[in-house]
Amino acid sequence: MYSFGSTYIVPALTGPTYLSIGLILTGYAIGIAIFSLVGGYLFDRYSVKNTVILSVLVFSAFTVMTGFVNTTPELFIARLGVGVGVGIFQPAGVALLGDIFYETRGKAVSVWATFFSVGLFASPYLIEPFLPAFRLPFEISGALAIIILMLVIMIIPVTYKKEKPTTKLNIKNVFNRNIILLSISIFFFGITLFAGYLGYFSDYLIKGLLISNGNAAIIASMAGAGGFIMAFPIGFIADKVGRKYMVIITSLLIAIGSAGMFFLFTTFAGLVVSTFIF
C-alpha cells in the first residue's frame, strides 16, 4: 500500500525536501538488509514462533505509525522500522518452510509466495480509493495485525522439529561460489525492485505517463497477479527439474518485465503485460 501511495504520501508531509520517495525507501531497504542477518540468527538460536511474533509485532507497529506521520523524518523512521520487522520475518519464514518441507520446499515456498502475491495484487486497490488521504488503510492494518498475532500465538508451536546439534559456523561454507553467484543475482534484483517497482513505479505511471489512478492501480497489481498465478507452478516444476533452471528462467522474466515496464511500453496494455511478466 505504501509503495503505491508514496507518490501522494511523501508530498503531503512537512519536513526536509531531501527526504524524497527514494531516500525514504532506502531506509526501508536498510532495515531489511541489516535485520535479515538478525532474523537468521534468531531463527537458528531461538524458537521460530517467538521470532515470528517479534517480527510481526515490529513491522505491524511501524506500519500503523505510517498512517500517523506528519513529517518526512517521521515517515523515514516508520519505514525503517517496517524494514526491520520484515528483515527479521523473511529468513525465519522461508527457513521454516524449507526445513519442514525439505524435499518439496519449492512448492512450500511457492505457497508462501502465492499468498504474498495476493497481498501485492490487492494493495493498490485497497489504498487507491482513499488517495490523496492515506491514514485509514494503515490504521486498519494495525487491527488486522492484532488478529494475526493472536492466531500466531494460538496456532504455531514453540518447537516444530527435534533440535539438532549446532555446528560451528564455517565461513567457507557461507561464502562459496554458488552462494556468491546467487547473492550477486539478488543484489541486482534488489536494485530493480527497490529503485524501480517499489520506489517510483506509481509515481512514474501517474505523474510521468499521466495514467489515471484507477488504471495505475490495475497495472501495479499485475505484479501480484503474476506471482499468484505462476508461483506454485514454478515451485512445482523446480522440485521436478531442478531449481537452478527455474532461477535462470525467472531471472530472465524479471529482466524482460523490467525492460517492458520502463523502456519499451507506455500504453496501458503493454504495461499490464510487462508488469505481469515482472
Side-chain angles (χ1 to χ4, degrees), residues 178-239:
N178 296 334
I179 292 179
I180 290 174
L181 287 174
L182 286 171
S183 298
I184 292 172
S185 174
I186 203 69
F187 170 76
F188 286 108
F189 171 66
I191 293 175
T192 302
L193 185 68
F194 282 92
Y197 180 76
L198 291 179
Y200 285 98
F201 193 46
S202 64
D203 201 59
Y204 170 66
L205 295 175
I206 295 170
K207 296 183 178 179
L209 300 182
L210 302 179
I211 295 173
S212 68
N213 284 11
N215 284 342
I218 294 172
I219 294 168
S221 72
M222 287 300 104
F228 172 71
I229 294 171
M230 296 305 300
F232 190 80
I234 286 176
F236 180 83
I237 296 171
D239 284 334

Side-chain angles (χ1 to χ4, degrees), residues 30 40 46 48 71 80 85 102 125 136 142 145 155 161 177 235 242 261:
I30 290 172
Y46 304 102
V48 64
T71 67
L80 175 65
Y102 181 78
Y125 302 111
L136 183 59
I155 294 174
K161 66 176 182 178
R177 180 185 63 184
M261 291 161 67

Side-chain angles (χ1 to χ4, degrees), residues 4 103-104 125-126 159-160 179 195 220 230 239 248 250 263:
F4 187 82
E103 294 298 328
T104 57
Y125 302 111
L126 294 176
T159 58
Y160 66 93
I179 292 179
M230 296 305 300
D239 284 334
I248 293 171
T250 52
F263 296 105

Side-chain angles (χ1 to χ4, degrees), residues 12-35:
L13 304 176
T14 60
T17 55
Y18 63 79
L19 284 175
S20 62
I21 292 174
L23 194 58
I24 290 172
L25 189 70
T26 298
Y28 172 69
I30 290 172
I32 292 179
I34 295 175
F35 282 87

